[in-house]
Amino acid sequence: MLNIDSIENGIVIDHITAGRGMRVYELLELHKLDTCVAIIRNARSSKFGKKDIIKIEGITDIDLDVLGFIDDHATVCVIRDGVLAEKKQPQLPQRLVNIVKCKNPRCVTSAEDVDQEFYLCGGEQHRYRCRYCEQLLDDGK
């Protein structure tokens, strides 16, 4: 059995759908942090069978819209002084701004310096469309 130490201060992103942990890592840009980040893939879960977990030391705030976009079933546990201080549940965001890029080469976002903006068009299916060209987002889930 693998042991990962607990953290004194930071965030634990738990109950990430198995296989999505690296996508969370990429879109939250955790590689830019100068702190300890642990990614646990395919951990056993009594609720889901398998899950991914990310532990981030020293950080107590993340973009919940990014996390909600990738996996709105995940939970964010804020740890302070070794104790669970707060638990957050990300929600599926209505808008995504500069999180992902439109893949349509004829979209105005390919030629001009404007925000990459998508809106939720199918909540049950987690579907988003580009604000400018209506291209359906392939989010890679």
Side-chain angles (χ1 to χ4, degrees):
M1 174 107 171
L2 176 67
N3 278 336
I4 304 291
D5 289 338
S6 59
I7 56 177
E8 257 323 283
N9 292 294
I11 289 179
V12 176
I13 306 172
D14 198 2
H15 302 108
I16 303 169
T17 301
R20 291 190 187 166
M22 286 307 294
R23 180 93 164 128
V24 171
Y25 181 85
E26 291 166 3
L27 288 182
L28 286 176
E29 299 181 335
L30 299 178
H31 62 282
K32 293 181 178 180
L33 296 178
D34 188 29
T35 187
C36 184
V37 177
I39 302 171
I40 304 156
R41 297 186 62 219
N42 297 318
R44 279 183 241 125
S45 169
S46 57
K47 199 179 215 182
F48 302 111
K50 290 183 179 181
K51 65 180 178 179
D52 290 355
I53 304 168
I54 298 178
K55 292 184 175 190
I56 310 164
E57 191 173 58
I59 303 296
T60 57
D61 192 33
I62 61 167
D63 189 338
L64 290 176
D65 281 348
V66 171
L67 188 57
F69 164 63
I70 301 166
D71 193 345
D72 59 333
H73 293 61
T75 50
V76 177
C77 301
V78 179
I79 311 296
R80 290 191 186 101
D81 299 321
V83 178
L84 177 63
E86 188 178 359
K87 202 174 213 180
K88 300 176 185 178
Q89 183 71 42
Q91 302 296 314
L92 195 61
Q94 294 297 311
R95 284 181 46 217
L96 301 173
V97 180
N98 295 327
I99 295 172
V100 289
K101 294 184 178 191
C102 183
K103 299 208 176 175
N104 179 358
R106 292 169 53 222
C107 182
V108 68
T109 60
S110 297
E112 295 184 22
D113 186 27
V114 294
D115 286 338
Q116 298 279 333
E117 190 172 334
F118 294 84
Y119 64 91
L120 184 64
C121 64
E124 300 83 36
Q125 299 89 13
H126 292 46
R127 296 175 67 180
Y128 288 87
R129 289 197 179 275
C130 177
R131 172 183 171 206
Y132 305 102
C133 70
E134 297 291 317
Q135 175 75 34
L136 191 61
L137 175 66
D138 174 22
D139 62 9
K141 287 186 184 177

